[in-house]
Structure formats: C-alpha cells, structure tokens
Amino acid sequence: MIKSDWALLEEIKQKIVADVNLHDAALWSQKDFDFLSYFIEEKTTCRLSISTLKRIWSNSHQRLPHISTLNALSKTAFNKDWQTFKSESLSNSVEKKDGVSKGTFVGQGKKIRKTTIGLLLIIPIILMLLGDAKTLQNNQYAEKKVDDVTFGYRKTLKNQLPNTVVFTYDIDAIDADRFFLQQSWDTSRKVEIFKGNKERTDIYYIPGYFTAKLFADNQIIKEMPVHVIYENWFIAARQPMSRIVTFDKELWLRKDYLGIDKETLEKKGIDVHREFQLAYYFVKDFEVDGNNLTYKASFKMDPLESVDCPIMNIHLQGTNDFYWIMIGNKGCGSELAVRVGDVMYNGKIQDLTSMTTNMYQWNDFEIRTIDKNVIIKLNGKEVFSTTYENTIGGIMEISYFFNGLGMIDDVELTDGQGEIKFSDDLKYRSDQVR
C-alpha cells in the first residue's frame, strides 16, 4: 500500500520525537516547542516558528504544511528533503507490491542510465504521484551546478551597527523557479533574489557570527559565515523575536555591572508585563580555541511578575560549533537545556536541576574545557560535565540571553595556555558612560 502524505508526515514526526526524547506532545510546554525549534534549526539551518510546530504536532492543520516546512522536518528526521523521502517511500511501496528487490531504486538519481526499460516506465508514475517532478529535477540540477555559483559579501562599515552588508552572487548556472537570500538563522530576513542581478543589500542590527544562505527554490545551494564585529558590549531586546530594539551606551545602567533598567525598556517600547528577550553581545575574534578554554562570568536577574522561571542562556559561538548553556531559578530545571558541540541535554528527559540557583542574587559561573572535556561550575561547585566530538573552532562571539531583566559582571575568557584573552569588570561609572 502506498502511504499518503499525511502518513509520511506522521512517520517523520514520530522519528523526530524519538530523536529528541520528547513524548506525548499534548503535554509539551512552551519550552519543549522552543527546544524542538532549536533542534530543527541546528539540524537543517531552517528555523520553524513555535506556532507552526504547535499546529503540526496538534494535527490542527487543514492541509499539508508548506514545502519548505516539510523539507525541514524531513531533513531533521531522515537527512533528506521531503521529495526524496517521499520518492523513496513510494518506490519501496511499488517494489513490495511488484515483488521487486529493495535494492532496485537505491540511488536512482545517479544510476538512472543503467536501469531497465521497465524501471524507466515506473519512474514517471512515481513522479506523477509525487506531484512535483519539476522540483525534484531542479534540486538534482542545482546539486550538479552548485560549484558554478558564487557568493560573497562586504560590510559597508567597520565594527559599527547598524551595518549594511552588500551580498554578491551569481546564480545564472542554476535552473530553479525562485531564488532567495537569507542573512542568518532568522527566516523573517529571507528575501527573494533574481537572475540578472548580482547584488543584494541587507542590514545587520545586532553583532554576531552568522551563516548567510543562498536558496534555489527550497534547497540551500551555498552558505558562508558573516562575522559582524562590534568591539564593545552591545545590548538588544526582542519583543516579539522578529522585532529588535537596541540600546545606546547612554542608556546603560550607571553601575559597576552591565544592565538595563525596567524604565528604559519601557521607554523603548518593551512591555515588561509580557514575554521578551534581553541580550548582551560581545563579538570579535577572541583568538581562543573553543576546545581548550576557561570562561567565567557573574550574573543575576531582577524579579518580574511576567516571569515565573527566570532563565539565562550563555552562548559561546565558534567557527564550527558552539556552547549553549541554560541556567535557571530553583525549581525550573525541567525548562533547561545544554548543548556543547554535538552533545545536547534536555531538562525534560535528563536531570539538569544542578544547573539551577537563586537567580535573584549574584552568581559566579565557569566553563572549563580541556581537549573537549567540559566542566561547568556554579559558585565554585562543579554542577555538570560532559565530552563532545565536533570541533568548536575559534571563539567569535560571546553572548547572554535572558527571558527577563538580567545583568552580567566580571567576564573573563582564557585560552588553553592560561593566557587571558578577554577580561572586563564592567565598571561603567557615570563619567565613563557620557
């Protein structure tokens, strides 16, 4: 029996749920969907919104999701796009029905010239069942011609924000219906580009080590890192995630730590009675190997009525991979997650309660990594350890993300030889701010 599209989608969903060890979707919290969105983005570089994931897992959609969503889900589950997954599933169904051996259709894109006339008759039927033969052909064509595509960029300002970036590209070798350029993980910044044009500009409002992508239809055909440097601290807030609000240095707290007060947030249009994100960035080449480092900082949060579980995310971005470490208030361990390189931990299925503390007082935090062996300390006590395989690469960004009113102090980054590469006690007094 040939599986329907809905059955294939359900198979994909079950595989993803098994991979992330999240079960009984009816009981998932907002953080579970956040985690799932983050997991999919890391596997595919495509970010699916929480609302989209909720519709899919609650089976409340009236029709199949958009092809780009199906591609992201299929690649997450089986490392292949939707059409390929569907084609192979249909092929297997035809094989079982006709008594053909399972090996007949393996790698059909590469072996089509060696197939028999009978198989050549079957393939058009499969493509008609797919209903999108042209997309499949375009994807295969794009893969063959991808080496002929050029993709580059130049920043128009040096270490300043906002910064207009000029992307240059040549997509003439690719045959596709539509082309897109996406400046980072943020799918809301995905814009259409056209053959005949060679440039497209976009603005980066925050610093970071981003990955820009070129798409032919729904396939990524080229990507490259874009390092938007800002050699000072940078503060931004999001509400919602698609809306970025930034804060000039004159708006920072005049304290011996780095922070923003509630009144300043409200003046800039952030409603502290609703969910928002507050972020601190320092972005440059720190000349530190991510596999051998020591990173220290202090942090705290102030209470807000809208935040039941105050949480901080610590992010160290390398050229190849990253650290993403969540610390939350006592009682909030279920909401946490940790990722170091290729290793991920989920507080829903693993005990991360050791990563909790009193977030409303100052806490000291430390990461120490030696040859990919990681130890995390809170207030001088070891609370977590792990190892990983993927090389992090050189550290290009350090950042903090709070789900409320957070502040940081005494940041220090040391390389594997014990040399301090970055240190800031963050004593921004009134005379320093002006």
Side-chain angles (χ1 to χ4, degrees):
M1 178 179 178
I2 295 177
K3 293 183 179 179
S4 70
D5 286 350
W6 295 104
L8 293 174
L9 177 57
E10 191 61 32
E11 183 178 342
I12 288 171
K13 289 163 56 181
Q14 291 176 5
K15 177 65 164 56
I16 293 174
V17 166
D19 288 345
V20 298
N21 288 317
L22 286 175
H23 302 284
D24 197 352
L27 301 178
W28 288 0
S29 68
Q30 180 77 10
K31 288 296 181 182
D32 292 322
F33 284 103
D34 285 339
F35 178 78
L36 182 59
S37 176
Y38 183 73
F39 179 79
I40 292 171
E41 182 183 359
E42 287 308 305
K43 295 275 285 186
T44 68
T45 72
C46 178
R47 186 176 183 85
L48 299 183
S49 69
I50 303 303
S51 59
T52 296
L53 294 175
K54 285 182 176 179
R55 283 196 302 272
I56 292 171
W57 258 268
S58 66
N59 297 315
S60 62
H61 38 261
Q62 301 297 318
R63 58 183 181 181
L64 278 177
H66 189 272
I67 184 64
S68 60
T69 301
L70 292 172
N71 281 337
L73 294 171
S74 183
K75 288 178 182 178
T76 301
F78 298 105
N79 199 30
K80 58 190 70 173
D81 61 38
W82 168 256
Q83 297 294 1
T84 302
F85 172 68
K86 185 175 176 180
S87 176
E88 291 179 359
S89 176
L90 291 169
S91 298
N92 289 336
S93 298
V94 173
E95 292 163 16
K96 291 177 182 178
K97 180 179 179 180
D98 294 344
V100 182
S101 67
K102 291 184 178 181
T104 305
F105 290 90
V106 174
Q108 66 179 20
K110 295 181 180 179
K111 298 181 179 180
I112 190 168
R113 293 184 180 86
K114 299 181 180 179
T115 55
T116 64
I117 296 298
L119 180 56
L120 289 173
L121 292 175
I122 292 173
I123 289 175
I125 296 173
I126 294 173
L127 293 178
M128 284 188 287
L129 289 170
L130 291 176
D132 200 0
K134 187 174 182 181
T135 299
L136 181 60
Q137 292 167 355
N138 284 345
N139 285 347
Q140 293 172 339
Y141 187 74
E143 290 172 3
K144 295 175 184 177
K145 296 294 186 179
V146 70
D147 289 340
D148 296 327
V149 174
T150 62
F151 192 27
Y153 78 96
R154 63 177 176 85
K155 293 176 285 187
T156 56
L157 296 174
K158 182 177 181 180
N159 304 344
Q160 297 182 48
L161 290 167
N163 198 333
T164 293
V165 171
V166 181
F167 291 98
T168 57
Y169 57 88
D170 186 343
I171 53 177
D172 289 347
I174 304 299
D175 183 18
D177 291 331
R178 302 178 73 185
F179 298 89
F180 302 90
L181 189 154
Q182 185 172 312
Q183 64 161 231
S184 66
W185 58 267
D186 189 350
T187 55
S188 69
R189 306 307 300 273
K190 188 175 182 179
V191 296
E192 188 167 6
I193 57 176
F194 303 92
K195 286 188 175 183
N197 292 340
K198 302 295 181 181
E199 294 181 336
R200 170 76 195 204
T201 66
D202 211 337
I203 297 178
Y204 288 81
Y205 292 97
I206 58 175
Y209 191 79
F210 304 102
T211 300
K213 309 171 189 68
L214 273 182
F215 291 80
D217 293 322
N218 297 304
Q219 180 185 3
I220 298 174
I221 56 174
K222 213 77 168 181
E223 57 185 17
M224 66 178 173
V226 179
H227 199 193
V228 181
I229 296 172
Y230 190 79
E231 292 192 2
N232 197 351
W233 289 100
F234 191 87
I235 304 179
R238 289 177 181 261
Q239 191 186 56
M241 288 298 290
S242 59
R243 174 177 173 261
I244 302 172
V245 176
T246 62
F247 301 87
D248 293 336
K249 193 172 182 180
E250 289 74 18
L251 299 176
W252 300 357
L253 280 175
R254 291 173 171 84
K255 302 288 186 179
D256 59 352
Y257 52 84
L258 187 60
I260 291 286
D261 61 27
K262 186 190 302 185
E263 291 71 27
T264 300
L265 286 167
E266 291 175 332
K267 287 179 181 178
K268 295 281 281 187
I270 300 297
D271 182 356
V272 298
H273 302 293
R274 296 190 297 111
E275 182 178 348
F276 70 95
Q277 181 194 82
L278 181 62
Y280 301 91
Y281 306 85
F282 205 111
V283 180
K284 69 172 186 175
D285 184 349
F286 290 93
E287 300 179 345
V288 173
D289 175 15
N291 302 320
N292 293 278
L293 58 77
T294 300
Y295 183 63
K296 300 178 182 179
S298 298
F299 64 90
K300 73 183 288 284
M301 296 181 70
D302 282 348
L304 288 175
E305 291 183 5
S306 60
V307 181
D308 295 323
C309 268
I311 292 173
M312 176 189 70
N313 305 277
I314 298 167
H315 178 210
L316 297 179
Q317 180 65 54
T319 54
N320 300 319
D321 224 311
F322 58 90
Y323 296 76
W324 183 267
I325 297 167
M326 300 176 70
I327 299 175
N329 206 37
K330 289 290 186 181
C332 298
S334 179
E335 302 297 310
L336 304 182
V338 173
R339 171 167 173 170
V340 182
D342 55 311
V343 178
M344 184 179 294
Y345 299 85
N346 178 3
K348 293 296 182 186
I349 58 171
Q350 290 149 321
D351 184 2
L352 295 180
T353 55
S354 63
M355 303 291 286
T356 63
T357 185
N358 181 356
M359 296 292 286
Y360 301 133
Q361 68 181 24
W362 281 105
N363 294 274
D364 297 325
F365 169 83
E366 179 180 334
I367 306 171
R368 185 182 296 273
T369 302
I370 301 175
D371 295 331
K372 302 180 182 179
N373 295 287
V374 184
I375 292 176
I376 297 176
K377 294 182 179 181
L378 264 177
N379 300 316
K381 179 183 177 182
E382 182 179 329
V383 294
F384 186 85
S385 63
T386 188
T387 61
Y388 61 94
E389 294 184 4
N390 285 4
T391 296
I392 299 292
I395 299 299
M396 298 291 168
E397 170 189 345
I398 58 176
S399 46
Y400 303 81
F401 302 91
F402 295 89
N403 68 339
L405 206 57
M407 51 217 73
I408 59 173
D409 199 4
D410 297 324
V411 179
E412 181 180 281
L413 179 62
T414 305
D415 67 15
Q417 288 72 49
E419 180 180 352
I420 297 176
K421 292 292 189 176
F422 178 76
S423 180
D424 196 340
D425 61 11
L426 295 166
K427 296 188 183 302
Y428 290 101
R429 297 186 302 274
S430 177
D431 60 337
Q432 293 176 307
V433 173
R434 291 197 176 102

